[in-house]
Amino acid sequence: MTENNQYLLDLHQRRAPTLENFVPGRNGEVVKVFRELRRGVGPQFVYIYGPVGVGVTHLLTSLDAYQDGRRVPEFNPGETLYIVDDVDSLDPGWAQQLLILQNEVRRHPEARLVCGGKEPIAQLDLPEGVKSRLGWGLSYAIEPLDEEERFAELERQARDRGIDISPEMQAWMASHLPRDMSTLLSVLDEADRLALARHRRLTLPLLREAVDIIEAALGGSAR
């Protein structure tokens, strides 16, 4: 798959990110903390990080926190949960806005701020004041699923749909597709749709066709 599109297979819009459909793997403690945050309790500050595809944005989105359309939301006394994703890409102006938000949250014990990025706090190219405040609470590296965990979950979800993934299909997906569950499940969804529309069982050619359809819809090129 193309580099630009491999993590952007957005057919999973049919499956909005939730804590319930996040596959935790070795991230069980993080999910537990996020369940607390969703109930309005838990740590006041949390920072999670990891490379594209491990689920950082999925987890942040699952909180359904206050959003005002800004890169970094302004503090609103009527709101208690805030999220800021991709802090590693904040420019100086937005970094200053994050610093303001961090200070406001700290002054309101009922408020919570959860941030996400790709790097540990110490490696972020942000002002020291912002980085020190990111460290006020808990910090977790989101661990990717290993090969066995990924395909065990994929097979489980395939069974829920009444379809089988053959060893040949599994091997092809392992060697040709990105390794994040969002992409794999999006491909499975589209392949299942094709099989149902054509009254056929799921096969490797249908799986490949599903990937081509997704890439074409996203403006990507074929492999």
Side-chain angles (χ1 to χ4, degrees), residues 14-35:
R14 291 174 291 191
R15 186 191 304 106
T18 67
L19 288 180
E20 287 68 34
N21 62 29
F22 178 75
V23 183
R26 289 158 286 173
N27 301 298
E29 183 178 346
V30 181
V31 172
K32 179 181 177 182
V33 169
F34 271 58
R35 292 189 191 282

Side-chain angles (χ1 to χ4, degrees), residues 9 14 25 35 64 99 110 117 128-129 133 140 142 156 162 168 174 184 191 196:
L9 301 178
R14 291 174 291 191
R35 292 189 191 282
D64 192 26
L99 180 66
E110 75 283 359
E128 288 302 318
R133 285 161 175 76
Y140 294 100
I142 304 303
R156 185 189 71 77
E168 180 186 28
L184 294 174
L196 289 172

Side-chain angles (χ1 to χ4, degrees), residues 19-62:
L19 288 180
E20 287 68 34
N21 62 29
F22 178 75
V23 183
R26 289 158 286 173
N27 301 298
E29 183 178 346
V30 181
V31 172
K32 179 181 177 182
V33 169
F34 271 58
R35 292 189 191 282
E36 293 175 348
L37 291 168
R38 199 167 59 177
R39 297 197 307 270
V41 296
Q44 191 171 27
F45 293 92
V46 178
Y47 176 67
I48 61 174
Y49 64 93
V52 172
V54 298
V56 170
T57 298
H58 183 128
L59 285 167
L60 293 176
T61 305
S62 74

Side-chain angles (χ1 to χ4, degrees), residues 35 69 73 75 121 153 160 179 191-192 196 203 214 218:
R35 292 189 191 282
F75 185 81
I121 294 171
E153 177 62 20
D160 288 346
R179 299 181 176 230
D192 186 32
L196 289 172
T203 61
I214 293 171
L218 294 170

Side-chain angles (χ1 to χ4, degrees), residues 122-184:
Q123 296 178 24
L124 293 171
D125 185 18
L126 289 171
E128 288 302 318
V130 174
K131 290 165 62 173
S132 67
R133 285 161 175 76
L134 286 173
W136 277 347
L138 300 180
S139 177
Y140 294 100
I142 304 303
E143 300 288 341
L145 299 176
D146 62 29
E147 195 85 353
E148 183 177 351
E149 290 169 332
R150 278 195 301 275
F151 282 98
E153 177 62 20
L154 197 65
E155 288 177 350
R156 185 189 71 77
Q157 298 223 18
R159 286 194 303 270
D160 288 346
R161 294 163 171 78
I163 58 179
D164 294 319
I165 300 179
S166 69
E168 180 186 28
M169 287 188 284
Q170 186 174 123
W172 185 86
M173 295 176 81
S175 61
H176 289 80
L177 297 180
R179 299 181 176 230
D180 63 292
M181 284 304 301
S182 178
T183 295
L184 294 174

Side-chain angles (χ1 to χ4, degrees), residues 68-79:
D68 60 6
R70 295 161 58 91
R71 183 71 175 77
V72 178
E74 290 187 342
F75 185 81
N76 182 335
E79 302 292 339

